[in-house]
Amino acid sequence: MTLWNGNYPFYPSANACFPFDTTRAVIVAIFLSMLATAIIILPGIRGRGRLFWFLRLVMGLFMGAVILTIQFTRDWETGWVQANTSYKSFSHAVVSADIGLHIGLSGLNITLVGNPVNQINETINYNEHFSWSFDADYDHSYRQGLEKGLPSPILYVAEKFTSQSPCAVHRQYRVSGHYASATLWLAFCTWLISILLFSMSILLHGGYMLLVTATLILFSLLFFFTSRNTPKCPIQFGPLSLKTGYGESFWLTIVTGLLCLLLGLGVIILNSVQPQKLKLIFNLDKRKGAKEAWDKSCLPAEPRCSTQDVVMVPLGEVTATQL
């Protein structure tokens, strides 16, 4: 069999680890561009309202970016193990590699990185994704991996999450991931509504929507928590086992949910206890004061408020001027 462009035909090359998640990069770029635009127009806002407006903008963009980004992340649950393991089926070759498992709401990623990367005349650097979303078939993806001849550690870990596996964790992860994703989409919608209400100066209802957003975020964590705490089959590589724990996305979701909860409660409490301070934070006192000043300056008793300086004199008091 001859080489073509340095590769043997009919054998796909390794699916190497991509340096970053493109979906996450696009979302972050959009929100950063919105923040940059706000910073450009920030000097046009005068007084103390500039600081409050900027803080509200940063917190609002942060919450929206997190709620949208964690839908597509794959590090809700992560685990690593460094072990010596067989590389391919029907081969006695043993490699030293770092094996990683990264579970998200719509599937999982299994990474295999050689230590060192170049061993047995090959570059060991794999990152395989197996999806269990509504429009994907996890078992079909696993069979495709068998046909491609993926390394044995990847197939061994992926087999634990198939629907036919004795571990019986596939359905639990799939259902809980779907429910968590649905509640996060609802949280994103309620976040948009809260931003709209705050921009319309309907502060109390905006605080209520922040509480609804926080509730939905915390429910998504509860859904994922149920799958995380199901009994799992051990993933053994010789004497070592691959154990997983909560990842960055899980903890970031907790922080965002608590932030929404505190902000919502703060708005509601200030609205009932000290509404003037709440209006000061949202720059409403200045507008109200300017309106009252305008209304006061335009009273009929003050002639300067009229655009036509007309002196009203009774007709009986009009006298002719002697020439």
Side-chain angles (χ1 to χ4, degrees):
M1 188 173 289
T2 59
L3 288 172
W4 183 76
N5 286 341
N7 291 319
Y8 287 104
F10 313 115
Y11 288 87
S13 58
N15 186 12
C17 297
F18 202 64
F20 59 88
D21 188 353
T22 55
T23 304
R24 185 188 304 184
V26 170
I27 296 173
V28 172
I30 292 174
F31 279 89
L32 286 179
S33 63
M34 296 170 63
L35 180 61
T37 304
I39 293 175
I40 292 174
I41 67 175
L42 187 62
I45 303 175
R46 298 179 180 179
R48 291 182 301 177
R50 177 187 305 174
L51 177 62
F52 290 131
W53 182 83
F54 184 72
L55 290 177
R56 295 199 313 269
L57 179 71
V58 170
M59 288 188 291
L61 290 179
F62 171 77
M63 291 185 293
V66 170
I67 295 172
L68 189 59
T69 304
I70 56 179
Q71 288 275 4
F72 308 99
T73 55
R74 299 167 185 173
D75 56 354
W76 281 70
E77 184 179 349
T78 59
W80 285 91
V81 65
Q82 182 178 354
N84 296 324
T85 179
S86 60
Y87 182 54
K88 289 285 183 75
S89 301
F90 309 107
S91 174
H92 298 288
V94 177
V95 297
S96 176
D98 295 325
I99 306 163
L101 174 61
H102 314 274
I103 302 175
L105 299 181
S106 60
L108 58 85
N109 270 54
I110 304 173
T111 58
L112 178 68
V113 182
N115 191 16
V117 177
N118 296 315
Q119 298 182 48
I120 58 174
N121 297 325
E122 289 193 31
T123 300
I124 304 175
N125 190 7
Y126 288 83
N127 179 19
E128 296 293 330
H129 178 66
F130 300 89
S131 176
W132 52 53
S133 58
F134 280 117
D135 57 346
D137 187 350
Y138 184 92
D139 293 342
H140 179 69
S141 300
Y142 174 73
R143 289 192 296 269
Q144 284 184 330
L146 289 173
E147 295 173 359
K148 288 167 60 177
L150 292 177
S152 296
I154 294 179
L155 295 175
Y156 169 67
V157 177
E159 190 272 336
K160 297 289 185 179
F161 293 87
T162 58
S163 60
Q164 305 298 325
S165 173
C167 297
V169 296
H170 172 81
R171 184 178 181 277
Q172 186 66 31
Y173 269 100
R174 186 171 183 266
V175 173
S176 61
H178 290 166
Y179 278 108
S181 178
T183 52
L184 285 175
W185 279 119
L186 289 176
F188 183 73
C189 295
T190 55
W191 169 80
L192 288 176
I193 295 173
S194 68
I195 295 297
L196 180 62
L197 292 174
F198 284 133
S199 64
M200 297 172 60
S201 301
I202 309 176
L203 306 182
L204 182 60
H205 292 82
Y208 287 148
M209 292 310 298
L210 277 182
L211 287 183
V212 175
T213 304
T215 303
L216 291 172
I217 293 175
L218 296 177
F219 264 106
S220 69
L221 293 170
L222 181 62
F223 287 134
F224 190 80
F225 177 81
T226 58
S227 66
R228 173 69 178 83
N229 286 272
T230 54
K232 297 181 179 65
C233 294
I235 304 177
Q236 292 289 139
F237 293 94
L240 302 175
S241 61
L242 197 161
K243 297 181 180 180
T244 59
Y246 294 119
E248 295 179 1
S249 294
F250 184 87
W251 298 115
L252 187 59
T253 307
I254 289 181
V255 172
T256 307
L258 293 178
L259 179 62
C260 290
L261 181 63
L262 293 177
L263 290 177
L265 289 176
V267 170
I268 295 173
I269 293 174
L270 281 178
N271 184 79
S272 60
V273 177
Q274 293 182 337
Q276 295 302 322
K277 287 188 177 181
L278 182 63
K279 293 179 180 179
L280 179 64
I281 295 175
F282 284 87
N283 300 331
L284 297 181
D285 273 350
K286 185 183 297 185
R287 284 185 251 167
K288 183 179 179 181
K291 182 178 179 181
E292 290 178 353
W294 173 261
D295 294 339
K296 186 177 180 180
S297 64
C298 293
L299 290 175
E302 298 185 11
R304 59 186 176 87
C305 72
S306 177
T307 58
Q308 297 178 352
D309 295 333
V310 180
V311 179
M312 304 299 294
V313 181
L315 292 177
E317 298 180 4
V318 175
T319 58
T321 304
Q322 185 177 359
L323 297 175

